[in-house]
Amino acid sequence: MLKIRKLTVHYGPLPALKEVSLEIERGEIIALIGPNRAGKTTLLLTLSGILETMEGRVTFEDEDITNLSPHHIVSRGLIHIPQGRHIFPTLSILDNLLMGAYTKRKNKTEIEYGLKEIYQLFPKLGERKNQRAGTLSGGEQQMLAIGRALMARPKLLMLDEPSQGLAPRFIEEIFDTLNRMNQSGLTLFIVEQEIDLTLSISHRGYVLRNGRIIREGTPSILLESQEIKELVSI
Ligand SMILES: Nc1ncnc2c1ncn2[C@@H]1O[C@H](COP(=O)(O)OP(=O)(O)OP(=O)(O)O)[C@@H](O)[C@H]1O
Ligand SMILES: [Mg+2]
C-alpha cells in the first residue's frame, strides 16, 4: 500500500533521514520505534507532504506521491495524527470533529454517519460533544484526535506517539481501540517509544536511529534484538 524507497530529508544542511526504506501492506499495523530525535516525526511530516524530500520516492497505492502537497495527500486517504495531538482547545468537540470532515465528507448525511460511528467508538465524545475540547483529559484528547482523523476517511492512518503524556490506563485503552480499528480494516502506521504495547498489536516493525532504519522484522524478532534491548535500557 505504501512504499518508501531510500528517502533522504534534510533540515538545511543537516540530514534528519538517510536512505529510509519501508513498506506497509494493506491491513497491517506497522510500528516505527525509535528514541528521541531519531527522525520519527520527520518521516511522518515528509509522508504528509509538509517537509520536502531531497532524494528517494514514496508511492501510495501504486501512485508516486513524492512531494505532493498536503491536501492532495490527505485526499488520497493518507491521514496523519500529529505528535501532541493538536486539537483546537477552544472549539467544541463537535467542531473539532467537523474540521476533519471537510476534504472527504461533502453532505450532511455523510457527516452525520461519520459522527455516529465515532460516538460509537468513543461514547464520551458523543456525551460531551458541545463542550470545549480543552476540557478533555489527555487521553480523551487523543481519542478526539483519532476521531477527527476518522472523519477524513483514512485508508492508512499514521499516528505520531499517541501514548505520549498519557496515564497508563488511557494508553491501554487507545491501543485497544487501534487494534479494533485495524480488525475492521484500517491500515495503521504507529510511531512510538512505548515499545512493548506497540509491538503487541503490530504485525511488523522497524527501528529508526539517527535517521536510519537499523532493524526490521516481526515483533518477536525485534523484541529479541540487540537494537530494541539497547532502547529499552536508555
Ligand atoms: N524544524 C527543524 N529544524 C532543524 N532541525 C530539526 C527540526 N525538526 C527536527 N529537527 C532535528 O531533526 C532530528 C529528528 O527530529 P524528529 O523530530 O524527527 O525526531 P523524533 O524521532 O520525532 O523525536 P521525538 O521522539 O523527540 O519526537 C533531530 O535531530 C531534530 O533536532
Ligand atoms: Mg517526534
Side-chain angles (χ1 to χ4, degrees):
M1 187 177 209
L2 184 79
K3 282 191 189 143
I4 304 171
R5 284 274 168 273
K6 294 197 165 193
L7 197 70
T8 296
V9 177
H10 284 219
Y11 290 107
L14 297 172
L17 294 177
K18 299 161 206 157
E19 301 201 339
V20 167
S21 295
L22 180 153
E23 281 189 20
I24 301 177
E25 305 275 351
R26 195 180 309 277
E28 279 188 316
I29 299 182
I30 296 299
L32 181 73
I33 306 291
N36 289 122
R37 306 163 72 89
K40 306 181 299 297
T41 297
T42 302
L43 179 59
L44 293 196
L45 291 173
T46 308
L47 295 175
S48 293
I50 295 162
L51 292 174
E52 207 172 317
T53 307
M54 284 257 314
E55 277 171 52
R57 175 201 268 249
V58 182
T59 54
F60 183 58
E61 297 192 308
D62 298 321
E63 182 191 8
D64 189 343
I65 61 160
T66 321
N67 294 333
L68 275 190
S69 58
H71 72 280
H72 283 122
I73 290 175
V74 166
S75 74
R76 281 158 176 75
L78 187 54
I79 308 295
H80 177 177
I81 302 182
Q83 186 166 14
R85 317 183 233 292
H86 293 269
I87 57 142
F88 300 97
T90 59
L91 297 184
S92 69
I93 288 161
L94 175 61
D95 284 341
N96 270 274
L97 291 173
L98 292 176
M99 288 284 181
Y102 84 106
T103 49
K104 272 302 179 84
R105 297 192 194 249
K106 298 296 178 206
N107 61 52
K108 212 174 154 204
T109 320
E110 275 184 64
I111 289 175
E112 291 296 335
Y113 183 76
L115 289 172
K116 207 171 138 198
E117 277 185 321
I118 288 156
Y119 297 154
Q120 267 168 7
L121 201 56
F122 303 116
K124 248 179 226 157
L125 298 182
E127 288 158 22
R128 298 164 70 175
K129 63 184 178 200
N130 295 315
Q131 274 183 33
R132 282 176 170 217
T135 64
L136 296 173
S137 71
E140 290 160 349
Q141 291 188 14
Q142 185 60 52
M143 292 169 192
L144 177 58
I146 294 172
R148 181 180 57 188
L150 291 178
M151 287 300 281
R153 291 191 184 280
K155 290 181 183 169
L156 196 168
L157 185 59
M158 307 189 287
L159 299 101
D160 196 345
E161 300 207 37
S163 77
Q164 198 175 38
L166 303 188
R169 91 185 154 87
F170 275 123
I171 299 180
E172 280 180 26
E173 200 178 328
I174 296 281
F175 277 81
D176 191 48
T177 307
L178 293 175
N179 205 10
R180 280 190 285 137
M181 285 160 51
N182 173 254
Q183 280 160 5
S184 51
L186 187 61
T187 310
L188 296 172
F189 187 31
I190 307 178
V191 164
E192 262 297 345
Q193 300 200 47
E194 175 65 56
I195 298 170
D196 285 330
L197 211 46
T198 308
L199 289 179
S200 77
I201 64 164
S202 297
H203 298 92
R204 294 184 297 115
Y206 294 81
V207 181
L208 186 72
R209 190 160 200 173
N210 292 329
R212 285 188 193 279
I213 301 284
I214 55 167
R215 188 88 199 201
E216 63 177 280
T218 59
S220 52
I221 286 175
L222 288 182
L223 285 168
E224 288 298 312
S225 71
Q226 195 55 34
E227 289 82 356
I228 289 282
K229 284 183 181 150
E230 276 169 22
L231 278 184
V232 173
S233 67
I234 287 176

